[in-house]
Amino acid sequence: MDAGTPAVTARSAPGRLLAVLAAFDHAHPALSLTEISRRAGLPLTTAHRLVSALTEWGALERDPSGVYHVGLRLWEVAALAPRGLALRQVALPYLEDLYEATHENVQLAVRDGSEVVYTEWLSGRSAVGVHIRVGARWPLHVTGVGLVLLAHGDSALREAYCAGPLVSCTAHTITDPVRLRRVLAEVRRTGVAVSSRQVTEDALSVAAPVRGPGGAVVAAVSVVVPHADARVPVLAPAVRLAARGISRALGWHPEPRTP
């Protein structure tokens, strides 16, 4: 199996099917049968049988050149995920409003384990280097949305994450667990996260939490702007407003403030 290919056990029949699907990723959206066999760690005959079954069901599609792609049937199934396309449909009007207010890169993301997964991205006018696309994954501590989701996770998640290795993308990436704990506490206190030059040297993101009906944080929304002329005090209220709108659309009702 190639380095970077998701680890999926291929011992059971379901495991072999998942290994075939896991052979596809953003760097490998189109694969030949031989490539699928190699990346999935399966014999060619086994890969051929499984690929044929997945193609017949619609999970894979074969183009005229004989190369396979992920099929639309998987898109239909993914649309049922409450944290995927369903969340995107609710959030999109508010994300578009945030884009119109800022004309900068706008993103929506959810947490999957120790990573943040981007479910929507509206590209802004600035030339800031944004290494994001729908479906992309990043460690939680390096992005604004990731800091929000980590800050509002349970204490066990935060402690386990801070105790683990903190990968570095730039010289500004937070790699000190003590500092990370302080940053997470500040995110919970202020309601926004600011990630400055952690992924690229020229970008800054401002993010806020999206809450579900019970009040738990289920997603995060952010704006990514050039670091050089970032105006956090102006961006933060706009991002908070968008996150609050999405939360209300999801059924969240804020508790009335105590006088």
Side-chain angles (χ1 to χ4, degrees):
M1 188 176 294
D2 286 2
T5 303
V8 177
T9 177
R11 294 180 180 177
S12 64
R16 290 193 293 270
L17 278 171
L18 292 174
V20 169
L21 293 176
F24 295 85
D25 56 27
H26 284 283
H28 305 85
L31 297 170
S32 67
L33 180 61
T34 301
E35 291 169 331
I36 293 173
S37 170
R38 175 170 51 83
R39 285 179 55 78
L42 296 170
L44 188 60
T45 53
T46 301
H48 180 268
R49 175 170 53 82
L50 296 174
V51 166
S52 297
L54 289 168
T55 302
E56 182 179 356
W57 185 74
L60 297 178
E61 295 177 357
R62 186 173 184 268
D63 67 22
S65 68
V67 172
Y68 292 88
H69 307 259
V70 172
L72 287 177
R73 188 71 179 271
L74 287 183
W75 180 266
E76 295 173 8
V77 174
L80 302 175
R83 295 198 304 157
L85 294 178
L87 171 62
R88 174 187 174 275
Q89 289 175 341
V90 172
L92 195 54
Y94 303 93
L95 300 178
E96 290 173 341
D97 286 347
L98 181 57
Y99 172 80
E100 289 300 326
T102 63
H103 291 285
E104 298 290 357
N105 298 285
V106 174
Q107 302 164 344
L108 180 71
V110 298
R111 182 177 70 85
D112 185 17
S114 61
E115 296 178 314
V116 61
V117 180
Y118 290 85
T119 58
E120 184 55 277
W121 169 43
L122 304 181
S123 180
R125 64 188 175 189
S126 66
V128 63
V130 180
H131 296 179
I132 299 301
R133 59 182 176 271
V134 174
R137 292 172 175 264
W138 285 90
L140 289 170
H141 69 285
V142 305
T143 66
V145 285
L147 288 172
V148 165
L149 294 168
L150 182 57
H152 290 280
D154 59 46
S155 59
L157 167 69
R158 292 195 300 272
E159 285 307 310
Y161 192 94
C162 291
L166 301 176
V167 300
S168 177
C169 300
T170 73
H172 303 280
T173 304
I174 301 172
T175 56
D176 177 15
V178 175
R179 182 187 169 201
L180 179 57
R181 290 187 182 95
R182 287 200 301 265
V183 169
L184 296 177
E186 185 69 4
V187 171
R188 291 192 297 275
R189 185 184 72 82
T190 62
V192 294
V194 178
S195 177
S196 179
R197 296 180 289 175
Q198 288 213 89
V199 176
T200 62
E201 293 282 353
D202 60 344
L204 177 145
S205 68
V206 180
V210 172
R211 299 182 182 275
V217 173
V218 296
V221 61
S222 72
V223 168
V224 181
V225 301
H227 170 267
D229 55 0
R231 297 180 296 166
V232 174
V234 175
L235 293 171
V239 176
R240 279 200 200 98
L241 183 62
R244 194 177 181 88
I246 299 170
S247 300
R248 286 181 176 275
L250 290 174
W252 173 68
H253 299 286
E255 296 180 1
R257 293 185 178 182
T258 303

